[in-house]
Structure formats: C-alpha cells, structure tokens
Amino acid sequence: MTVDAFRALLAQTNLYVYERSVDEAENTVVATVRKDLVKYLAVAGEKSDLFTGEQEGELKLCPLTNENAKALQTLFPYTKPKSHRGHQFTMGLGDRLGLATAGHIRALAGHDIYPVFAQQSIRELNLTHRTFTDVISAATFNVFQEGYKKGFGADGDHLKTKEEIKYALESGCTMVTLDCSEHIDQKAATYPIEKINEMYAALPENVRKHYEETYLNKELPIVGHMDEDELRRVVVVFWDGIAHAIDCFRYIDEIKTVEVDFELSIDETLTITTPTEHFVIGNELHNVGITPISCAPHFSGSFEKGIEYAGNLNDFARDFEVHQKIADFFGYKLSLHSGSDKFAVFSTVARVTKGHVHVKTAGTSWLEAMRVVSEVNPDLYRKAHKFSIEHRPEAERYYHVSTKVADIPNIDLQNDAYLAEYMNMPASRQTVHIAYGMLLEQPWFREEFFRTMAEHEEEYYAALVRHIGKHVRYLTAELSI
Ligand code: ZN
C-alpha cells in the first residue's frame, strides 16, 4: 500500500482526514480520521492485522482503544513515550481530558523543548477514572494525529509507593516523580527544639551517627556550616523520606525495562524547602550514587493551582538561585510544579536555570477547555460553573486553594458574552479548576462536554496555542530555544 493509493481510497469515503497524521511503515499506511465527531485510525496494507477494527473494503476503521494505541506504537515508534534524558528544557503538559496534547504540540512548535505529554498523578487518575495506559494512549493518538515525531515522555506524577511505581512503569511511563511527603515529618519542621531533640534521640543510632559524621563540623559547599540544632531538625523531618527515595530509586533500577527519568519532589510539604534541607537530600542521594534527573523543592511564595504566583518576587529569585546552585552541584535540574499561570516567575526561572529546567503544567489546559465551553456552549458553562461553586468544599479535600467563592460575580446577573471573563478571574478559575473530577463524573456534564469539545476542537487547540504559548514565550524569551 502506498500513501497515494491510500489517499485515493480515503477520497472515496466521507471521512474527515487529519492530513498531518498520514504515515507509512512496513507497507502499511495509517491516518487519523473522523466520522460523525468520532475519531478512528484508518489502516490499509500489510500490517493491518496489528489493529482491531471494522474492515470496509481495503480500509480498516479502528477505534481509538488502548490495543490500537499499542499497535500504533509498534508500527510508528515515535508515538511511544521515551526518556527525556539529555534534553535541556523539558516541560510536563498534563492532559486530563486526552484532548489537549494536539494543542500542546502546536504551542511548542518552533521551540527546542522536550515535552512530557502524558503526565498524571494517582490523584488525577482517580478523579478522572483513567488508567496510566489510557493517559499514554491519548498522548499516542494526539501525537500521531499531529504528525509530531520529535519524541515525548510519560510521567507517573507524585507517585508515593513501590506499588504505584510498578503500575506506572508497567503501563509505559518513562518518568517517575517520587513524592516522599508521606515519609517526611512535615509538622516537625516547626516544632520547638526541645521536641526535636527528643525525637532525634529516639532515632536509630546508626542514622544519627551517619548524619553527624557527614555534616557536623564541616564547611559544606554552598550552605556552609551546619550547627547541631539545624542538623537534628533536618534529620528528624527528612531521614525517612530520604531512605524511601533511595529505596524507590533502587527499585526502579531493578524493575525498569527502558530508560526511566527519576524526579524527586518535595514540593507538597507544609514549609518551604531550605537550602540546607535541599543540600542534605541531594547529598544523601549523591553519596549512594543516585543522581535524579530533576528535583522539585518547595520554593518560597505560593504556587496555587491555576493562578498567578503569590509572594515576594525578590525572595523567590534569591531562594531559587541558591536551589539552582545546589542542583548544579549535584548534577540535576530544578523542577517547577504547578507551573501553570505563574507568569511572574518565568523570567527568573529562565535566567537562573539558563533553560536547564523542568516545568510542569496540567490543570490550566482543563480551564482552557472550559473557556471554550463558556464561549460556544454558554448554557453548559453556566451549569458547570454553579455546580463547581456548590461542590467546592468537597473539591477542597483534594486541592488547597485560597481564593474565595464570595469574590465570584453572580453568574445569573451576567449575559453570555461575559462568561469567558470567569476564566480570567482567580476565584472562579480555582473553583472550576478543582471541580474537574466531580464535573467529569456527572453524566449531564460529561456527555455534552465531550460532544462540545469534539465540535470545537480547533477552537480548543487555538486556545492552547495562545495560553500554553504564553508560558513558552515567557520561559524562553531570552534563551532562543
Ligand atoms: Zn508537585
């Protein structure tokens, strides 16, 4: 089967063809097509049997299932996620809907940024009722649809246990973001020193001995001298988390079948990560021969979902510079979580890291979908908006947000033309942002939402090019990448 013969076959159907997708391998041609708003792979040629679908003459019409994603990955290896090792600027672009990646691809066009298109946490998987395989398959189909061949990663985000790591890697994830927060005694960061001393004394003797020998009475690079009180606090808070990180890293090494990128995240803690804490963590990993690809400290200021950075920018810049020095010292990148919409810090992030950084975004692409809904299906937006306000206390169980519902202008007093404004206001952005899981569970929302998105996918891609494109522009302006 040649591409020309394949196109001739397609021309006899009433299928809409995604032109950039058409590709050939092993005498087999495949394209993404659409029929009545539903997408399929159209397949013809020698390897058609790899795919499952309805044979219609010489063409086989195959639904976008996980099995057919696997077949696509076999035939076209660029549709399969792989490690981002060696790439300077990497960006996590979570797509909770399975619809956004094509827009993300267009937003990155012309930039040397390696994307991690598949990126979900277990929390997000649960809230969207998806599996890691579903998430990766969606990225695979989007990548194929756009004819994007430069590679992408798949991040099992905020994984906490070996079971979760195993699940992610078996599903094809190429990156593990380990979240040690359950092994970190977060409250101890602010305990009085008497209590720290008591807790420290109760730790195993070999642990205490190891830390004292490694850190006391030494002039440490970057962070200098550590006194006993400071060391005891760091050890009480972090020793178990560090042990867990080492244990999980070794486990990954043991079970992995492909190259896996290991990120250590300590961003979801109660207190900001001090340089000393960061140094000790990096050093403990280094001393046992572990170099993560990236590390996400809890930076100063507040990085809440879906809204601009809040905090003192001078403090952030100073803090970020020291963390960068520590990351350079141990040979990994800094990783910025909840990077969506933090435009005010991007210049600093770019300048300090020189573009050697990982930045994660996710929820903001859901908000852009809701912006499209507010413009093309105002009735659905109104219902979803009210639902989000009503259910915000439940949503706050999963996400910490500080904006107030009282600051959202009453939607009943607004005409349809105004609705998109809600996607520009912090309070309504956060309210709709954290409701995604509950909304997608409502049959009245789910069905009409996905139909609306299918009818208006080009508008959605354009919205993502604008919004994610703004992130990329601010992050790369002075880097020429
Ligand atoms: Zn995080």
Side-chain angles (χ1 to χ4, degrees), residues 178 180 183-184 210-211 215 234-250 262 264 266 276-286 288 290:
L178 182 71
C180 296
H183 291 261
I184 294 173
H210 163 76
Y211 279 97
Y215 298 97
V234 173
V235 174
V236 165
V237 175
F238 287 101
W239 80 276
D240 189 35
I242 292 168
H244 183 61
I246 294 170
D247 195 28
C248 287
F249 182 89
R250 293 198 170 131
F262 177 75
L264 185 67
I266 42 175
T276 311
E277 289 168 346
H278 183 179
F279 182 87
V280 169
I281 293 164
N283 196 50
E284 287 302 303
L285 296 183
H286 178 79
V288 293
I290 295 173

Side-chain angles (χ1 to χ4, degrees), residues 123 157-158 177 179 263 265 267-268 296 305 337-338 360:
R123 173 176 63 188
D157 200 5
H158 279 277
T177 297
D179 178 337
E263 172 169 313
S265 77
D267 63 306
E268 296 204 356
K305 303 286 172 192
H337 286 206
S338 297
K360 294 194 186 192

Side-chain angles (χ1 to χ4, degrees), residues 6-37:
F6 181 77
R7 284 190 194 279
L9 280 175
L10 281 176
Q12 293 161 26
T13 69
N14 55 2
L15 298 167
Y16 172 82
V17 182
Y18 290 79
E19 275 304 323
R20 289 178 227 179
S21 68
V22 183
D23 203 2
E24 186 270 343
E26 301 181 49
N27 296 319
T28 311
V29 192
V30 185
T32 307
V33 299
R34 197 179 64 208
K35 182 178 166 186
D36 307 329
L37 293 182

Side-chain angles (χ1 to χ4, degrees), residues 331-388:
Y332 50 74
K333 307 199 268 196
L334 291 179
S335 176
L336 189 69
H337 286 206
S338 297
S340 305
D341 306 286
K342 306 300 179 292
F343 301 111
V345 306
F346 289 167
S347 303
T348 299
V349 169
R351 176 178 56 77
V352 174
T353 64
K354 301 185 180 75
H356 199 76
V357 67
H358 188 69
V359 177
K360 294 194 186 192
T361 74
T364 206
S365 294
W366 149 252
L367 287 177
E368 286 308 304
M370 289 306 286
R371 184 192 299 280
V372 172
V373 170
S374 76
E375 286 164 353
V376 303
N377 192 341
D379 289 346
L380 182 63
Y381 180 81
R382 283 176 189 279
K383 276 167 79 181
H385 178 98
K386 288 183 180 177
F387 179 92
S388 305

